[in-house]
Amino acid sequence: MNERMTETSTRPPALRPEPALGVKVAKTDAPFWVKLVSAGTGACLADVVTFPLDTTKVRLQVQGNVGGAPSKYSGIFRTIFTIFSEEGVGGLYKGLIPGLQRQLAFSTIKLGCYDDVKDMYSSLIFSEDNRPTKTPVFVRVLAGSTTGILAVAVAHPTDVVKVRMQAQFGNNLGRYANSTDAYKNIFTKEGMKGLWRGCLPNMTRNGIVNIGEVVTYDIIKDHLIHSNIMSNGTPCHLVSAFAAGFCGTVLASPVDVVKTRFMNSMPSQYKGVLHCTTVLWRELGFAGFYKGFVPALLRIGTWNVLMFLSYEQMKIIMQPDSVHRFSPQENVERAAKHILFKEKHASVK
């Protein structure tokens, strides 16, 4: 009896199954060019799928604005049906070409450069000896806002053309024959200023959006992995992307509405961004800043899921060595170390 009790007391504790989903993986840093290509490709794939929702959002935001038609759109699906019945599939995809041009320039910078800019800020702020093992939130916010603003500085003309093409309805119908004609027409009539119209609100918007999307995705994914809630796999990416899409939409929707209306306005309609914001508040109140919120949420949420999943998978396809998959034995050893660490930590408390 005593021998049995001694044997039981000396037996190591049974390993509890890890709460993480899927196979545990450890990432090593992918090369810079792989991140750039993966970000641009993933964003373009996501844009093609979600572009009708983006067109719906733009139509809902600009209707009633001078140069547009009287309010005839209400609700997501009704707006999609109206556009489709009046303009066909092409109406839902107006502005796709400049939209893809925008993603190739914009997302390549805002997401592809994010990790490297984050590392750069960490190196500048912290010495090698004092550098934390986990990147602080404020460093991630700095990196996200920096890459978001830098991306707009490069890709803004493509955004102007995309919005103008999408907003071709009512009195604006037939305003531009195609994206090339739009670039040429805007430059001829409005000069370089026209192509950079609304750049300031767009910089503000995308600095905020990048914090809401890329930074949120980065923080939530890290938390899920390091807390052993999920492994670094597709389910983890899916949850993180949904959260990023929601946060990005809530934070950026007011700036997005002002940006869209200002970009699509006539040269003399608004004196500036502040005047546009004041007119919007006076005419529509607080609700006006969230016009098109539901299609924006559907679009950005879906876009984030598709983009981040494509981005992560593209990195694995292009650089398989960037992800190391642990064997079952390694997973058991890692689980044992994690359990011992938690029990030691609990005993100290």
Side-chain angles (χ1 to χ4, degrees), residues 130-158:
N130 298 325
R131 189 166 180 173
T133 54
K134 194 173 181 180
T135 308
V137 173
F138 81 90
V139 174
R140 300 179 199 235
V141 169
L142 276 174
S145 56
T146 299
T147 56
I149 291 170
L150 181 62
V152 173
V154 174
H156 188 76
T158 61

Side-chain angles (χ1 to χ4, degrees), residues 5 14 17 47 51 70 72 83 94 125 156 166 174 178 190 197 203 215 221 246 285 296-297 329 337 342 347:
M5 289 179 63
D47 228 38
F51 205 79
K72 67 173 182 176
I83 296 171
K94 276 183 179 176
I125 295 170
H156 188 76
Q166 287 176 312
N178 49 51
E190 304 173 43
R197 189 173 183 79
M203 281 184 168
V215 177
K221 188 178 80 168
F246 180 77
L297 179 60
Q329 181 59 36
K337 288 178 182 178
K342 288 182 76 173
S347 65

Side-chain angles (χ1 to χ4, degrees), residues 190-332:
E190 304 173 43
M192 288 296 291
K193 187 178 179 180
L195 288 171
W196 295 92
R197 189 173 183 79
C199 186
L200 182 60
N202 205 15
M203 281 184 168
T204 306
R205 173 195 180 269
N206 283 293
I208 296 170
V209 167
N210 220 34
I211 294 170
E213 291 180 352
V214 176
V215 177
T216 299
Y217 177 83
D218 187 31
I219 291 171
I220 292 178
K221 188 178 80 168
D222 269 7
H223 176 73
L224 292 174
I225 294 168
H226 291 130
S227 301
N228 277 324
I229 298 171
M230 285 182 162
S231 64
N232 186 12
T234 302
C236 176
H237 302 157
L238 193 65
V239 172
S240 304
F242 266 123
F246 180 77
C247 291
T249 309
V250 171
L251 288 173
S253 189
V255 187
D256 190 32
V257 172
V258 173
K259 180 209 77 169
T260 302
R261 292 172 75 92
F262 190 72
M263 279 183 177
N264 192 54
S265 64
M266 297 295 103
S268 59
Q269 185 177 346
Y270 300 118
K271 297 175 183 177
V273 177
L274 186 60
H275 180 227
C276 179
T277 305
T278 305
V279 170
L280 181 61
W281 173 263
R282 188 170 61 244
E283 293 179 354
L284 300 173
F286 179 79
F289 292 96
Y290 281 92
K291 284 185 74 174
F293 177 78
V294 176
L297 179 60
L298 284 175
R299 190 253 173 184
I300 292 175
T302 307
W303 188 90
N304 271 276
V305 169
L306 293 172
M307 193 272 291
F308 281 117
L309 289 180
S310 300
Y311 170 68
E312 299 285 4
Q313 291 304 311
M314 284 292 296
K315 284 196 296 182
I316 295 172
I317 291 169
M318 296 177 67
Q319 193 76 16
D321 294 339
S322 66
V323 173
H324 168 66
R325 298 186 179 277
F326 291 109
S327 66
Q329 181 59 36
E330 286 176 311
N331 270 324
V332 171

Side-chain angles (χ1 to χ4, degrees), residues 118-139:
K118 183 174 67 175
D119 290 341
M120 179 194 73
Y121 277 131
S122 294
S123 300
L124 290 172
I125 295 170
F126 303 105
S127 64
E128 201 64 40
D129 296 333
N130 298 325
R131 189 166 180 173
T133 54
K134 194 173 181 180
T135 308
V137 173
F138 81 90
V139 174

Side-chain angles (χ1 to χ4, degrees), residues 93-110:
Y93 279 92
K94 276 183 179 176
L96 178 63
I97 299 302
L100 295 179
Q101 292 169 350
R102 174 183 180 273
Q103 293 301 344
L104 284 172
F106 180 74
S107 293
T108 298
I109 296 171
K110 81 164 189 173

